[in-house]
Amino acid sequence: MIHQSISLFCIKWQKKNNLKNLSMGMSSDFKEAILFGATHIRIGEAIMGDRVG
């Protein structure tokens, strides 16, 4: 239920602001970001490993 609400909000916000892309999510939550309508995700840690320092 909450996922649907967030997803609808993200999609409406994207359309309202005439955005072609919606970037959100990172390596740890990219699956949820895709469910919420992300068109771009950041997966640097999944490729490069954890940040040090």
Side-chain angles (χ1 to χ4, degrees):
M1 182 84 168
I2 188 78
H3 289 313
Q4 280 183 317
S5 297
I6 295 171
S7 182
L8 288 174
F9 170 79
C10 290
I11 292 168
K12 287 180 181 179
W13 187 81
Q14 182 182 11
K15 288 181 180 180
K16 177 182 176 185
N17 292 288
N18 198 29
L19 301 174
K20 293 180 183 177
N21 302 307
L22 182 60
S23 176
M24 58 183 175
M26 297 175 74
S27 296
S28 62
D29 63 355
F30 73 92
K31 292 177 185 176
E32 290 85 358
I34 292 169
L35 289 174
F36 294 149
T39 58
H40 290 76
I41 54 172
R42 297 172 295 278
I43 55 170
E45 284 187 1
I47 296 170
M48 303 298 286
D50 293 336
R51 295 181 184 182
V52 178

